[in-house]
Amino acid sequence: MFFKKFHSSDSFISYLIEKNQKLELLAMLALYILVFVSIQITYPYPAVTADTGNYILSAKTSIINGYRPMGYSWFIQLFHLFSENIKAIFIGQFIINCIAQLSFIFSVKYFFQLKNIPFYLFSLLFILSPSIIFCTNYIMSDSIFNALTLFYLTTALWIIKHPNLVNIIFHFMVLYLTINVRYAALFYPILSIAIFILHSKKNKLFIAVALVPLLIGTIIYFDTKSTIKKTYDIEQFSAFGGWALANNAVSIIPYIYLEPEEIENEDSRLIHKIITRFPDSTYSHKHINATDFMWKKNFPGKNVLYQIQRESKLRYTQAWMLTGNKFKNYGSFLIKNYPIEYFKYYIFPNCKQLFYSYKVPNVKKYVPSNLSKGYFNLQFDRYDYKYSFLHKLNPVRKIFIPLLWILFFGSIIVLFKKKLIFKNEQTILFLFLLIFFLTYVGFSIIAHPINNFRYLIPIYCIQLLIPIIVLNKTVRK
């Protein structure tokens, strides 16, 4: 048969209903309930940022906003159908996170045969992560993106081990949703293709299946471009990508000598004239890391935007998107012509920031915008938190996060140095997780300054699991 029968799934279900797993599952559910109640009491209203309004506006109008993809706004719309209460967002995100975590936790226990001590340690550190818990009560795309990434990883592991039809269909659905929630997942189809090609050695029909992830990515790309064209009359996929590329590339401006006349592209030449009017301090690592180029009114990026808006006489959002297109060309020009400087002044500093511990915010109040008041039927102007606590764990995180990196790299060294033996299929699963981790890190470094506690959460499960797997090889019982 093309796909394997469902006996593998049946055996996993039998595994889950064994006494040991049932007790573990019940204990974890009790822990989730405790966390849920604690968050409800201490953070009765969600954390928000300036980006929150864009997500809510798109949910309310069903119109892509030009800054972010529509996926998270679809989620807000869905739960708004069930309840206008803003707390429904937290409940939905929390439940989806729980299901995603439990699916991953018990799948890796099953595949890697984790013993009790490593398994309990992994589960507790994963479930009680302050960053993950905070994001479940945050009106931003992070919690849903993290959960979808967990579903992606879980379904990928199951396809590697047992490629049945249910696993494959669910994997494709998750892939479509994940990319639509955040374009950081645009490399996910590449790894999915590799998984199916791996199976093509046994069955050539998997080559055809391997084309589906590519098709999903292509459909999203052209559908998004078409929607933006119809809505804003701008030909593009992601304006944010162009802005981010330029923000990263201008980090080299103080260290190069480039006359505008040396740039052939007229738009890039005009941009460079504006860019070089600003002092070198504007392009310091501090400002590049904070993406001030993109968001601050008195910085070069916004000055270029205002110039383009005046000349084109477009609305602000349209001008922002058009500027993103032009910035993409300008940023690409700088990187292509000055790769050494780009590596030295952007890539290398951003690599170092992988190992920093960024604080979970100290949320003191919730001030709903007029948009939120109307959409969620809120009858107050401000709510002050009395018992918030997650930020108090930042000193622990400051020690734990660098330590986890040390354990991660140390465990890989131990793994190869001591030649710890996996079963054949476990080796492939382990390598997939490691490749996903390294690819995600690589894309993150290139795409955007790593300046926030939220950005690396999707790979926390792997960063934690790999030392646990190595520990599992050394524990007798």
Side-chain angles (χ1 to χ4, degrees):
M1 292 182 65
F2 179 25
F3 301 112
K4 291 186 179 180
K5 294 182 179 180
F6 293 93
H7 70 274
S8 57
S9 299
D10 293 339
S11 63
F12 180 63
I13 293 172
S14 300
Y15 172 76
L16 287 178
I17 61 177
E18 289 176 5
K19 182 179 179 180
N20 195 41
Q21 278 69 242
K22 280 201 298 185
L23 291 174
E24 291 166 350
L25 181 58
L26 288 172
M28 289 179 196
L29 290 175
L31 184 58
Y32 279 124
I33 292 171
L34 179 62
V35 172
F36 178 85
V37 172
S38 299
I39 298 301
Q40 281 283 64
I41 293 172
T42 55
Y43 298 90
Y45 290 97
V48 296
T49 71
D51 292 331
T52 298
N54 289 324
Y55 288 119
I56 296 174
L57 181 62
S58 287
K60 182 179 180 180
T61 62
S62 296
I63 297 174
I64 192 168
N65 60 45
Y67 297 92
R68 301 290 192 278
M70 277 292 294
Y72 184 59
S73 296
W74 293 341
F75 165 80
I76 295 174
Q77 283 180 326
L78 176 63
F79 279 84
H80 193 262
L81 292 175
F82 294 105
S83 172
E84 290 187 2
N85 193 320
I86 196 170
K87 295 181 182 181
I89 302 296
F90 161 62
I91 294 171
Q93 290 182 165
F94 190 88
I95 291 173
I96 292 171
N97 175 70
C98 291
I99 296 171
Q101 284 189 326
L102 290 173
S103 300
F104 186 80
I105 285 170
F106 282 100
S107 290
V108 296
K109 181 187 181 184
Y110 180 69
F111 289 138
F112 291 102
Q113 299 174 359
L114 297 182
K115 302 178 182 71
N116 286 342
I117 293 175
F119 177 69
Y120 298 154
L121 184 60
F122 171 68
S123 301
L124 283 173
L125 292 176
F126 193 25
I127 292 172
L128 296 179
S129 164
S131 303
I132 295 174
I133 293 171
F134 184 90
C135 283
T136 60
N137 201 26
Y138 201 13
I139 303 186
M140 289 287 286
S141 63
D142 300 278
S143 184
I144 296 301
F145 180 72
N146 299 336
L148 286 171
T149 297
L150 277 175
F151 283 131
Y152 171 84
L153 291 172
T154 302
T155 54
L157 294 177
W158 275 100
I159 290 169
I160 291 170
K161 189 77 185 271
H162 301 296
N164 68 42
L165 187 58
V166 172
N167 294 335
I168 292 171
I169 291 175
F170 190 47
H171 183 77
F172 291 154
M173 292 171 58
V174 168
L175 186 61
Y176 177 82
L177 292 173
T178 309
I179 297 173
N180 273 297
V181 169
R182 190 179 290 172
Y183 295 144
L186 280 169
F187 75 89
Y188 289 18
I190 300 172
L191 298 181
S192 297
I193 290 169
I195 291 171
F196 290 116
I197 290 176
L198 179 69
H199 282 293
S200 69
K201 295 177 181 179
K202 297 179 180 179
N203 193 320
K204 297 300 181 185
L205 288 174
F206 274 102
I207 295 177
V209 180
L211 295 176
V212 177
L214 180 61
L215 180 63
I216 290 171
T218 303
I219 290 172
I220 292 172
Y221 178 78
F222 284 106
D223 182 60
T224 302
K225 285 191 70 174
S226 175
T227 302
I228 290 175
K229 178 67 176 177
K230 291 178 183 177
T231 307
Y232 299 101
D233 198 29
I234 301 290
E235 189 76 32
Q236 70 165 210
F237 173 67
S238 171
F240 187 90
W243 276 88
L245 186 69
N247 174 83
N248 304 343
V250 296
S251 60
I252 71 172
I253 291 296
Y255 310 101
I256 64 173
Y257 182 78
L258 175 64
E259 290 290 348
E261 293 73 22
E262 298 177 54
I263 304 175
E264 292 183 8
N265 182 276
E266 183 179 353
D267 289 332
S268 294
R269 185 164 60 248
L270 293 174
I271 289 172
H272 190 67
K273 287 181 179 179
I274 298 173
I275 294 293
T276 50
R277 291 175 193 165
F278 286 77
D280 287 351
S281 59
T282 307
Y283 308 105
S284 67
H285 174 68
K286 174 185 175 183
H287 291 303
I288 297 299
N289 187 51
T291 62
D292 292 335
F293 176 90
M294 298 175 62
W295 305 117
K296 286 196 174 180
K297 292 182 178 180
N298 58 337
F299 271 69
K302 285 296 180 73
N303 275 260
V304 173
L305 166 63
Y306 299 146
Q307 177 76 16
I308 291 174
Q309 188 178 14
R310 284 193 297 270
E311 293 176 355
S312 63
K313 297 181 181 179
L314 294 171
R315 291 182 288 118
Y316 180 87
T317 302
Q318 288 177 298
W320 194 88
M321 298 172 77
L322 179 60
T323 305
N325 277 348
K326 297 179 185 295
F327 272 150
K328 182 179 179 181
N329 294 329
Y330 177 66
S332 298
F333 173 84
L334 291 179
I335 295 168
K336 180 180 177 180
N337 287 274
Y338 300 95
I340 296 175
E341 289 82 358
Y342 181 66
F343 179 85
K344 183 176 180 181
Y345 297 109
Y346 172 71
I347 295 294
F348 182 66
N350 208 27
C351 281
K352 293 193 293 184
Q353 292 183 180
L354 284 171
F355 311 106
Y356 294 175
S357 173
Y358 295 98
K359 294 180 179 179
V360 171
N362 179 7
V363 180
K364 297 181 180 180
K365 60 184 178 181
Y366 173 58
V367 180
S369 64
N370 290 330
L371 175 63
S372 294
K373 286 181 181 179
Y375 193 64
F376 295 110
N377 194 26
L378 299 171
Q379 305 296 323
F380 59 89
D381 295 320
R382 169 174 172 152
Y383 181 90
D384 293 295
Y385 294 137
K386 299 177 182 179
Y387 310 109
S388 59
F389 71 97
L390 286 172
H391 67 281
K392 295 179 181 179
L393 299 174
N394 283 326
V396 178
R397 293 178 68 254
K398 190 173 183 178
I399 297 171
F400 177 75
I401 290 175
L403 178 61
L404 185 57
W405 277 105
I406 293 171
L407 291 173
F408 175 80
F409 289 118
S411 63
I412 293 175
I413 293 170
V414 169
L415 187 69
F416 288 101
K417 189 174 181 180
K418 291 192 174 184
K419 298 180 180 180
L420 297 178
I421 299 173
F422 290 112
K423 293 181 179 178
N424 289 336
E425 62 271 18
Q426 289 180 339
T427 301
I428 298 173
L429 296 173
F430 182 89
L431 288 175
F432 171 77
L433 291 173
L434 185 58
I435 290 169
F436 180 90
F437 181 93
L438 295 174
T439 308
Y440 189 97
V441 166
F443 272 79
S444 297
I445 291 169
I446 294 169
H448 196 274
I450 299 170
N451 59 8
N452 196 293
F453 78 99
R454 300 177 286 121
Y455 293 160
L456 297 180
I457 292 176
I459 55 172
Y460 173 67
C461 60
I462 302 175
Q463 188 181 12
L464 183 60
L465 178 61
I466 286 180
I468 291 295
I469 290 173
V470 175
L471 175 64
N472 189 65
K473 287 290 181 181
T474 62
V475 174
R476 293 184 178 181
K477 293 183 180 181

